[in-house]
Amino acid sequence: MNQKPSNAFIGASWVALFAGILAFNIGLWNAEMMLNEKGYYFTVLMYGLFSAISLQKSVRDQLEGIPVTNIYYGLSWFSTILAVVLLVVGLWNATLTLSEKGFYGMSFVLSMFAAIAVQKNTRDSKRDDVKE
């Protein structure tokens, strides 16, 4: 028995996603780092968001009995873990203050979690639309 997500949860998920992405990118815009470093962190964020959504979808597909190849399922896990590792390694080696590193880490995690929630809400809403 699955319920359609509430409008409040859907809205909160979208707000969290935009807040995380916006905060991360404002931080990059204002950061005193080279453009290639900013590009690295931006790419890691986008890769992380895509991989988290892909992982959530493949996990959900498996739970619902929709076929997912083991290779795609494994790549989804690998990509999500790799995005987190790339961010951690980048921040570990960055010449940033600890508060800046924490800021990027928290906005990254917020964005990833919110992307998963938005994808789940979208899927749950579409599934309920099809049933009606």
Side-chain angles (χ1 to χ4, degrees):
M1 183 174 100
N2 293 322
Q3 292 181 332
K4 183 177 180 179
S6 70
N7 290 334
F9 185 64
I10 291 170
S13 300
W14 277 103
V15 168
L17 178 61
F18 287 127
I21 292 171
L22 189 63
F24 193 94
N25 286 313
I26 289 172
L28 282 181
W29 182 268
N30 293 316
E32 293 184 16
M33 59 176 78
M34 294 175 53
L35 189 57
N36 64 329
E37 290 176 279
K38 291 179 181 186
Y40 172 81
Y41 289 113
F42 179 75
T43 302
V44 168
L45 175 66
M46 293 298 109
Y47 176 51
L49 293 175
F50 177 79
S51 65
I53 290 169
S54 182
L55 175 61
Q56 196 276 340
K57 182 183 179 334
S58 62
V59 167
R60 226 11 225 281
D61 283 352
Q62 280 193 337
L63 289 174
E64 294 175 357
I66 298 170
V68 177
T69 64
N70 288 334
I71 287 181
Y72 188 80
Y73 184 72
L75 283 174
S76 296
W77 271 109
F78 177 76
S79 291
T80 304
I81 293 167
L82 182 61
V84 173
V85 168
L86 286 170
L87 182 76
V88 169
V89 168
L91 291 176
W92 184 271
N93 292 305
T95 56
L96 301 170
T97 63
L98 285 177
S99 61
E100 289 174 305
K101 291 178 181 184
F103 168 80
Y104 287 115
M106 291 307 296
S107 58
F108 181 82
V109 169
L110 173 64
S111 299
M112 294 260 295
F113 178 78
I116 291 168
V118 165
Q119 198 279 336
K120 179 196 177 304
N121 292 339
T122 302
R123 183 164 175 160
D124 288 347
S125 296
K126 292 294 182 194
R127 183 192 59 227
D128 290 339
D129 289 345
V130 171
K131 286 182 180 179
E132 293 175 1

